[in-house]
Amino acid sequence: MDEGGTPLLPDSLVYQIFLSLGPADVLAAGLVCRQWQAVSRDEFLWREQFYRYYQVARDVPRHPAAASWYEEFRRLYDTVPCVEVQTLQEHTDQVLHLSFSHSGCQFASCSKDCTVKIWNNDLTISLLHSADMRPYNWSYTQFSQFNQDDSLLLASGVFLGPHNSSSGEIAVISLDNFVLLSRVRNKPYDVFGCWLTETSLISGNLHRIGDITSCSVLWLNNAFQDVESENVNVVKRLFKIQNLNASTIRTVMVADCGRFDSPDLLLDAGAPPGRIFDLGSEGEEEAAGPVLVRAKEGLRCHLDGLLDTRTQPQLAERALETKVAELLAQGHTKPPERSAAGAQSKLLIFTTGCLTYSPHQIGIKQILPHQMTTAGPVLGEGRGSDAFFDALDHVIDVHGHVIGMGLSPDNRCAPVVAWVGASAGCTHQRAECPSPRYLYVNSRAWPSGSVVADPMQPPPIAEEIDLLVFDLKTMREVKRALRAHRAYTPNDECFFIFLDVSRDFVASGAEDRHGYIWDRHYNICLAKLRHQDVVNSVVFSPQEQELLLTASDDATIKAWRSPRTVRIRQAPRPRPRPFFSWFASQRR
């Protein structure tokens, strides 16, 4: 400025100069004088800085909740949990999974060391309890989940049965006194299990039928197995679903769709019914009616064609088994039930398949209110003789190997109760359970145009992991796939990599020794979080998305906080004045 205080350079020229600077230099220049400060906060300037720095496509609009381009730039720069603040080394082997309590005051970890550890999430994270599952013949723990009121913890692991056969088991642990309340068999072990209500959980069982055909039965279990009442069941069969071509149901999870605007639009009424297989006895053929008769006639014609080599070449044994199962299945299926208007239903989501053992599909089945209790008929007594199997409501095919799934916490209600956790410094707002709108899926794609000729030989899978997003209201894929993370394990050894979604971010582990964080709105990678080995699991605090935990094969858990949070916690606090000094000043 000149001696009279008039700027020597017009704002337009200062603006053009600032356009050539980086964000940090623009902010530093804004401290020189009032004119430069005003230009350094210009909306058009920060719009250019935003698109250039984050490399966002120009046709992507600003987040609708953003107050300005400057504030949006600062949000992505300052609130991403990318600063390592603590490393937990209490596990002695690979850490496979992490889960937060709904209050955010505690979290649990599972490991190849066969322990489930429960931690206090305070200013400094500390170990609260460690449960060793080896006395129960477990090989390792692999998954955990808190129930809705944080009173119980579901822990899933691999159980060593007779003759070294590996199955799964689910343990329910009380968080009041850390007592083991019940154990539930779970097969295969990578069903994991999940809570349906505060006191009931879902487990799986697998029944082999042929070489490559089976059925999966999903059970509803009471968390308290010592119920002594003839009116209350400990377990009840929920669904029975057919598996073809060596596929099985795995990775079950529940989405509460009760607060969607139009719950009836969640499920596609035009979707084909799930494939089924008849497990009934011979005496049930008459009750099945003309549908089963037509199916057997079709099977007879198909077999006649196989015997006549002039009309059709001989099919492989596995292909024949699959065809027989499909034809016999057509008469014994229970079509999907539709919820009544206003009914509070839930969605059961799991991985499955129809072409190979590799989980390449996502199955979705609606759970109605009357199915959410163990009361009522046991072992499917309520279903008719022609309804041995349940049809799926919807199937999403990702044309690749599904290695991770996570639900978004959208439509979260405002906090309703303020409370203080048991540990010092753990003060949170308790909110109602969110209604997830979007399903995020980690998938390793098959080559374009690949065909599965043998169910035991699935196509090779890509090293790049695609993070796909599906709208649970329309059952359609939305946005382009998020990419940055990689995996190298082949199909037959491929394992689950757990992801998590917060209000603004989505995070995932990877086999390239990093965790990754993306922005959900702009579809851009914001941070890479370093470990010494495979990152198996990531989880955001449900009450504070600027805190992220990562678990790795390097046997550590790392806590990451945002730069903003780190600055606030490291800022010196004013020293309180002694009481007598304060009292004396008041007397004056």
Side-chain angles (χ1 to χ4, degrees):
M1 293 187 180
D2 60 18
E3 295 179 356
T6 304
L8 297 175
L9 296 176
D11 288 356
S12 59
L13 185 55
V14 176
Y15 176 83
Q16 291 298 323
I17 295 173
F18 282 9
L19 276 178
S20 64
L21 302 178
D25 293 332
V26 169
L27 292 175
L31 301 176
V32 172
C33 63
R34 293 181 181 177
Q35 180 203 16
W36 287 18
Q37 183 184 41
V39 176
S40 70
R41 297 300 177 91
D42 182 84
E43 270 291 276
F44 292 102
L45 174 65
W46 281 100
R47 181 182 183 275
E48 291 300 311
Q49 291 282 357
F50 184 91
Y51 281 116
R52 186 171 62 194
Y53 184 86
Y54 291 112
Q55 299 181 357
V56 178
R58 296 277 175 165
D59 59 346
V60 178
R62 192 178 72 192
H63 194 292
S68 67
W69 282 108
Y70 170 76
E71 292 297 335
E72 188 67 348
F73 187 101
R74 191 170 70 170
R75 178 183 72 85
L76 295 188
Y77 192 87
D78 215 24
T79 65
V80 177
C82 58
V83 181
E84 181 182 340
V85 295
Q86 194 173 351
T87 299
L88 308 174
Q89 299 178 320
E90 279 79 354
H91 280 290
T92 59
D93 207 336
Q94 302 170 3
V95 188
L96 303 180
H97 184 254
L98 299 167
S99 64
F100 258 109
S101 64
H102 295 83
S103 69
C105 284
Q106 297 176 352
F107 67 89
S109 58
C110 296
S111 169
K112 282 287 185 72
D113 66 11
C114 206
T115 65
V116 182
K117 297 188 187 299
I118 302 169
W119 308 78
N120 261 334
N121 177 31
D122 212 332
L123 296 178
T124 299
I125 296 171
S126 58
L127 182 62
L128 182 62
H129 179 75
S130 181
D132 186 359
M133 301 304 293
R134 279 171 293 202
Y136 304 101
N137 288 336
W138 283 31
S139 177
Y140 58 88
T141 60
Q142 61 178 352
F143 177 84
S144 66
Q145 188 180 60
F146 290 79
N147 70 341
Q148 187 56 42
D149 65 2
D150 295 337
S151 62
L152 303 173
L153 179 70
L154 173 158
S156 172
V158 176
F159 174 83
L160 293 178
H163 311 293
N164 292 325
S165 61
S166 64
S167 182
E169 195 167 76
I170 298 172
V172 178
I173 301 172
S174 169
L175 294 174
D176 291 332
N177 49 18
F178 306 112
V179 171
L180 181 64
L181 298 177
S182 59
R183 293 161 58 196
V184 176
R185 196 58 56 87
N186 188 43
K187 185 178 180 180
Y189 57 80
D190 49 6
V191 168
F192 295 136
C194 65
W195 291 104
L196 179 61
T197 69
E198 289 188 353
T199 57
S200 60
L201 57 109
I202 296 174
S203 66
N205 200 359
L206 183 67
H207 301 280
R208 293 289 178 186
I209 300 172
D211 184 32
I212 57 171
T213 55
S214 64
C215 71
S216 290
V217 179
L218 297 176
W219 294 88
L220 186 61
N221 307 268
N222 197 312
F224 305 96
Q225 298 285 305
D226 58 348
V227 175
E228 297 181 0
S229 171
E230 60 182 13
N231 299 319
V232 179
N233 302 317
V234 173
V235 297
K236 186 176 77 170
R237 192 175 77 186
L238 194 58
F239 301 118
K240 183 195 288 186
I241 298 167
Q242 181 206 28
N243 304 314
L244 296 178
N245 290 318
S247 65
T248 62
I249 286 179
R250 313 175 189 179
T251 323
V252 297
M253 57 196 308
V254 170
D256 187 350
C257 56
R259 286 196 294 276
F260 279 154
D261 295 334
S262 304
D264 56 316
L265 298 179
L266 277 170
L267 303 175
D268 185 356
R275 295 170 174 174
I276 49 96
F277 188 81
D278 179 14
L279 284 184
S281 62
E282 295 180 359
E284 291 164 343
E285 177 179 336
E286 207 173 292
V291 176
L292 183 58
V293 173
R294 288 196 301 271
K296 291 200 171 184
E297 288 177 354
L299 175 61
R300 189 175 293 110
C301 293
H302 180 71
L303 293 176
D304 290 341
L306 289 177
L307 296 175
D308 187 357
T309 57
R310 294 170 300 175
T311 58
Q312 185 173 354
Q314 184 72 32
L315 292 179
E317 181 179 344
R318 288 170 178 167
L320 175 60
E321 180 182 330
T322 299
K323 190 64 178 179
V324 170
E326 287 179 317
L327 290 173
L328 286 178
Q330 295 176 9
H332 281 186
T333 182
K334 182 178 181 180
E337 296 182 54
R338 299 303 173 190
S339 59
Q344 299 294 307
S345 62
K346 297 184 179 182
L347 295 182
L348 181 66
I349 302 171
F350 47 84
T351 63
T352 182
C354 65
L355 302 176
T356 174
Y357 70 83
S358 174
H360 58 96
Q361 293 178 328
I362 299 166
I364 297 176
K365 181 69 180 170
Q366 190 175 32
I367 307 177
L368 302 179
H370 71 273
Q371 298 170 324
M372 298 182 196
T373 172
T374 54
V378 184
L379 299 177
E381 293 172 358
R383 62 180 70 212
S385 59
D386 61 341
F388 288 105
F389 284 81
D390 297 281
L392 301 184
D393 292 288
H394 203 87
V395 176
I396 300 172
D397 201 319
V398 301
H399 305 289
H401 194 127
V402 178
I403 62 169
M405 294 195 300
L407 292 165
S408 68
D410 301 302
N411 303 333
R412 187 182 293 273
C413 294
V416 293
V417 180
W419 71 291
V420 179
S423 60
C426 183
T427 305
H428 292 293
Q429 298 286 328
R430 281 301 301 271
E432 293 183 16
C433 181
S435 291
R437 171 69 183 271
Y438 298 101
L439 175 68
Y440 285 73
V441 178
N442 267 336
S443 171
R444 296 175 61 184
W446 291 341
S448 177
S450 60
V451 176
V452 181
D454 184 348
M456 306 310 294
Q457 297 292 329
I461 50 179
E463 290 186 352
E464 295 79 13
I465 302 175
D466 293 333
L467 187 48
L468 311 174
V469 188
F470 296 94
D471 187 339
L472 291 177
K473 189 171 183 179
T474 63
M475 296 300 170
R476 299 182 184 277
E477 185 177 357
V478 296
K479 298 197 173 192
R480 58 183 174 86
L482 301 173
R483 290 179 177 170
H485 49 330
R486 301 172 70 87
Y488 310 107
T489 308
N491 243 323
D492 56 344
E493 300 176 5
C494 196
F495 55 86
F496 223 66
I497 294 179
F498 295 93
L499 60 94
D500 196 29
V501 190
S502 71
R503 183 186 68 248
D504 297 320
F505 308 125
V506 55
S508 174
E511 290 187 50
D512 58 13
R513 303 182 179 183
H514 287 89
Y516 290 82
I517 303 176
W518 294 265
D519 182 79
R520 292 179 58 191
H521 178 72
Y522 299 108
N523 276 28
I524 54 174
C525 185
L526 297 171
K528 292 176 64 176
L529 313 176
R530 177 78 176 169
H531 271 269
Q532 299 302 312
D533 210 331
V534 173
V535 177
N536 296 304
S537 179
V538 298
V539 61
F540 289 98
S541 167
Q543 303 294 338
E544 183 186 2
Q545 69 170 358
E546 295 180 44
L547 169 62
L548 177 75
L549 305 176
T550 57
S552 171
D553 277 358
D554 63 17
T556 68
I557 301 169
K558 291 188 177 184
W560 309 80
R561 292 192 179 273
S562 67
R564 185 187 72 89
T565 305
V566 171
R567 284 198 313 274
I568 292 174
R569 295 193 173 216
Q570 292 179 346
R573 299 182 179 179
R575 297 178 61 184
R577 289 185 296 172
F579 173 77
F580 290 109
S581 299
W582 174 86
F583 183 73
S585 66
Q586 298 303 307
R587 292 187 62 181
R588 296 193 190 100

